[in-house]
Amino acid sequence: MNMKFEKVVMHNFLSIGDAEVNFNDRGYVMVQGRNNCVDDNSASNGSGKSSIFESIIYCLTGKTIRGTKDVVNINGEDGCYVGAEFYVDDKHYKVFRSKNHKKYKTDLKIYIDGVDKSGKGIADGEKLLAEYLPDITYELLGSVIVLGQGLPQRFTNNTPAKRKEILENLSKSDFMIEDLKDRVEERTTALKGQIRTVEDTLVSLSSQKMVYESQIARDSEALGKIDEDK
């Protein structure tokens, strides 16, 4: 399974007011936070770095890593929502989860390739989402998305059986290994082709060398006879 996130949109989620993060063609990114609250006296803690990635988990599972159910920003004027767009293999998904919002109420919307696949309410929607994406679980997301310090859900905190289950799930979703194998195979094939070209060139040059050596030998023999006749 190949899962690629495109973007996530947040409104009044945890410490975030409004934000949209585009993940396309980002490469490796360093996220730096800046806490502008003078009462906190913190440089980056509480700035919302973890909330960006935790919003993905909340959108897809309805849970948070920190365990809180109160996800609405207390400084907002209404409820919150999170929308995530991503591909799983060749299918495009858009999941939109809202809570206590004036317009969207408390709801879960699911779109697959632009078609509304939502259920009737949160419970029905979560059941359908689990059927559409059975491998994308709270435990998996909580272990592979690295969040801020002090959060309880860490891979090493799981039981051996749970760690084994997570690793088995990762083995099905870790497309990077297969991509690396394909790249190595492609590179190996290209290098073998170059080696064959060089080998063919060497054979051709060796044949030419033999012809030239034979010609030199004949010319040397002819010159020897000329010298003898003189």
Side-chain angles (χ1 to χ4, degrees), residues 52-65 97 137-138 141-143 145 147:
I52 295 174
F53 304 100
E54 195 166 6
S55 68
I56 297 174
I57 299 175
Y58 174 74
C59 184
L60 297 183
T61 69
K63 300 178 182 179
T64 61
I65 294 298
R97 186 184 292 267
T137 64
Y138 168 74
L141 292 172
S143 295
I145 295 181
L147 297 173

Side-chain angles (χ1 to χ4, degrees), residues 20-212:
E20 177 176 329
V21 181
N22 192 318
F23 297 108
N24 284 323
D25 301 322
R26 288 284 187 173
Y28 290 100
V29 177
M30 180 175 67
V31 179
Q32 292 181 311
R34 180 180 298 173
N35 191 332
N36 293 321
C37 180
V38 294
D39 296 331
D40 287 351
N41 195 29
S42 298
S44 64
N45 289 345
S47 61
K49 302 186 302 297
S50 300
S51 299
I52 295 174
F53 304 100
E54 195 166 6
S55 68
I56 297 174
I57 299 175
Y58 174 74
C59 184
L60 297 183
T61 69
K63 300 178 182 179
T64 61
I65 294 298
R66 63 195 74 194
T68 181
K69 295 183 179 179
D70 188 9
V71 297
V72 179
N73 191 319
I74 60 175
N75 296 313
E77 297 182 355
D78 56 1
C80 75
Y81 62 76
V82 177
E85 294 188 36
F86 53 94
Y87 279 92
V88 175
D89 295 328
D90 59 344
K91 290 187 176 296
H92 182 265
Y93 288 80
K94 181 178 180 180
V95 180
F96 184 90
R97 186 184 292 267
S98 57
K99 182 175 182 179
N100 300 332
H101 193 269
K102 291 180 180 179
K103 178 179 179 181
Y104 302 114
K105 310 302 179 183
T106 297
D107 203 357
L108 174 63
K109 293 293 184 181
I110 307 166
Y111 300 88
I112 303 177
D113 290 334
V115 179
D116 191 343
K117 297 288 186 178
S118 309
K120 297 180 180 179
I122 290 286
D124 192 31
E126 289 183 339
K127 181 180 178 181
L128 289 172
L129 189 60
E131 293 176 358
Y132 299 142
L133 301 170
D135 294 324
I136 309 302
T137 64
Y138 168 74
E139 290 79 12
L140 177 66
L141 292 172
S143 295
V144 300
I145 295 181
V146 180
L147 297 173
Q149 65 272 21
L151 295 178
Q153 181 63 36
R154 304 273 181 89
F155 175 75
T156 54
N157 288 345
N158 287 291
T159 64
K162 180 58 68 175
R163 291 199 297 268
K164 179 176 180 293
E165 178 185 343
I166 291 171
L167 288 173
E168 288 174 347
N169 286 334
L170 281 173
S171 67
K172 291 188 290 185
S173 62
D174 192 356
F175 68 95
M176 291 184 292
I177 294 178
E178 292 301 322
D179 181 64
L180 181 59
K181 288 180 179 178
D182 292 340
R183 289 172 181 266
V184 170
E185 183 178 353
E186 181 180 349
R187 182 59 176 164
T188 300
T189 301
L191 290 175
K192 286 181 177 179
Q194 294 178 16
I195 291 173
R196 283 195 298 269
T197 300
V198 172
E199 289 176 342
D200 291 343
T201 302
L202 287 174
V203 170
S204 176
L205 291 174
S206 296
S207 298
Q208 292 179 28
K209 179 183 176 183
M210 292 176 61
V211 171
Y212 293 147

